[in-house]
Amino acid sequence: MNDNSLNETFLKRTAYQYNCNDYIGETIYYGIEEIEYNRKEDMVREKTKRMGKVDGEIIYENIYDEKFNLIEKRLNRHFTDIDDVVVYLYENIYDEENKLIKTIEKDGEGNFLGTTAFEYSNGQLIKKETKYKEGFYKTISYYYDEEGRLYEQAILNDGELLYHYNYSILEDGRMRRTLVNPARGKYKWELGYGYGDKDSCTVDIYEPALTLDMIKEIMDYIIGNYKGIINCVIITIFNVNLMYKYENPEIYNYYRDNYGIVILEDF
C-alpha cells in the first residue's frame, strides 16, 4: 500500500551552514539542508539550498505493506547534473505474532544488499541490526522511559558508537529528534568509524564553526576510546568556519606530536 498519510511531514531537520573568509564574522557563503521524515521516520524529502537557491532535491516515494513496513523505496533525484530514479526493494518476514523480525533488502534489479534483524522486549523494538553483503554491520539500540516512550537511540558501526539521537515531544504533538555526539558533549558532531578501516576515522561537524573547544572535545573522546588504534582523524569542514585558526592554529600539531594522531581536513 502507499498510504499518503505516512508521507506527511512528522519530523523536519534544518541545518544552516556558513563559511567565512579571513575576516571573522563576514559570511561569504551559506547553505541550508532540509530533511523531512514521516511518522515511520522514513525520509520523504531532502532539499539543499546554496546562497538561497535550491540546487538539489530528492523526493522519496515510500510504499508499504499492510503492516505499514516498507516494501519499496523510490528516490526521485533532481540535481543540476542528475535527474533519475533509484529503487530499493524490501522483503519483510514476520513472526507468529505479526512482529517484523527480518527484512531482506535488494536494489531495483533484485541484487542482494543486506539483511536487517529486529529484536523486541515487552513488545517494543529494542534493537535493529543491518548486516551488509560486504560484511560490515550497523546497529541501532532503542531506549524507553518508564511510560514506554522512546527517548534515545544509539547508532553504532561494527559495534563502535557513532552518535545518539535524543527524542522529545513538542507542544503540537510532533517529535523532536536531536543529535548528540558520542561523548555526550556540548557540540553537534558524529563519528564515522568501522566498516573495515580501523586506524582512521572521520568526524562530521553540524555546527557553523569549528572551535578550539570543539576540537578538544572530539579529540578527548577519540584518545579516551581509541588511543593506540586511531592514528588519523579526518574532519569534514565543508561550509564550516575554522575559528580555531584564530584561537590556536597549532592545535593539530599538538595531537600529532603528543599522541601520534594526524588531523586532516576534508571539504
Side-chain angles (χ1 to χ4, degrees):
M1 65 181 298
N2 190 353
D3 192 328
N4 290 330
S5 66
L6 283 178
N7 285 332
E8 294 178 353
T9 301
F10 175 59
L11 183 151
K12 184 174 181 179
R13 185 185 80 192
T14 303
Y16 297 88
Q17 297 176 320
Y18 301 90
N19 190 23
C20 304
N21 62 13
D22 289 338
Y23 298 96
I24 299 176
E26 183 178 349
T27 302
I28 62 172
Y29 184 88
Y30 70 92
I32 301 174
E33 178 188 43
E34 296 179 350
I35 301 179
E36 298 179 9
Y37 301 84
N38 63 16
R39 293 186 179 274
K40 291 285 291 184
E41 290 196 34
D42 296 322
M43 287 186 184
V44 296
R45 183 187 300 269
E46 291 182 84
K47 181 185 292 186
T48 56
K49 299 178 181 179
R50 300 289 181 262
M51 302 297 288
K53 181 180 179 181
V54 175
D55 71 347
E57 185 176 38
I58 303 176
I59 299 174
Y60 291 74
E61 182 182 354
N62 300 311
I63 302 175
Y64 300 85
D65 63 15
E66 66 280 1
K67 297 179 180 64
F68 299 101
N69 291 307
L70 270 175
I71 57 175
E72 183 175 333
K73 178 169 60 178
R74 304 176 68 90
L75 283 66
N76 300 282
R77 305 191 302 174
H78 306 287
F79 295 92
T80 303
D81 56 350
I82 296 177
D83 191 2
D84 63 4
V85 178
V86 179
V87 178
Y88 296 97
L89 304 173
Y90 305 88
E91 177 185 346
N92 298 320
I93 300 172
Y94 298 88
D95 65 10
E96 63 278 1
E97 297 178 350
N98 283 324
K99 292 198 299 292
L100 180 64
I101 58 174
K102 186 177 182 180
T103 294
I104 301 172
E105 183 177 354
K106 301 178 181 179
D107 63 21
E109 298 179 353
N111 298 309
F112 174 78
L113 298 177
T115 61
T116 300
F118 301 82
E119 182 178 335
Y120 301 85
S121 178
N122 297 321
Q124 291 182 307
L125 177 65
I126 61 171
K127 183 178 179 181
K128 181 170 71 174
E129 186 167 276
T130 301
K131 295 184 178 180
Y132 300 93
K133 66 177 182 178
E134 294 84 359
F136 53 81
Y137 64 97
K138 179 177 181 178
T139 307
I140 303 177
S141 296
Y142 300 80
Y143 301 93
Y144 303 86
D145 62 20
E146 294 180 352
E147 298 181 1
R149 293 176 299 197
L150 177 68
Y151 70 86
E152 184 173 275
Q153 291 179 354
I155 293 84
L156 302 88
N157 275 353
D158 291 343
E160 301 294 339
L161 179 63
L162 305 184
Y163 54 93
H164 304 88
Y165 279 129
N166 282 354
Y167 289 84
S168 59
I169 304 297
L170 300 175
E171 291 183 358
D172 60 6
R174 291 180 302 143
M175 183 172 287
R176 171 181 290 171
R177 185 170 72 176
T178 304
L179 177 71
V180 179
N181 68 57
R184 296 188 184 276
K186 297 186 296 183
Y187 304 103
K188 289 183 173 60
W189 55 272
E190 67 181 58
L191 188 68
Y193 185 62
Y195 292 169
D197 187 4
K198 301 299 185 182
D199 60 357
S200 66
C201 69
T202 60
V203 176
D204 291 332
I205 304 295
Y206 298 100
E207 299 280 358
L210 178 61
T211 65
L212 181 64
D213 192 44
M214 191 186 307
I215 292 173
K216 290 180 178 179
E217 180 179 273
I218 293 168
M219 295 307 297
D220 283 349
Y221 179 80
I222 291 173
I223 292 168
N225 290 273
Y226 301 102
K227 184 178 181 180
I229 301 173
I230 288 178
N231 56 41
C232 180
V233 176
I234 303 171
I235 301 178
T236 303
I237 60 169
F238 183 67
N239 289 342
V240 176
N241 182 20
L242 304 181
M243 291 297 296
Y244 79 88
K245 290 187 175 181
Y246 303 97
E247 300 169 309
N248 183 356
E250 300 299 320
I251 186 64
Y252 288 179
N253 295 337
Y254 170 80
Y255 292 104
R256 180 197 63 196
D257 297 340
N258 291 276
Y259 296 97
I261 301 176
V262 175
I263 302 176
L264 304 176
E265 295 175 349
D266 183 25
F267 290 90

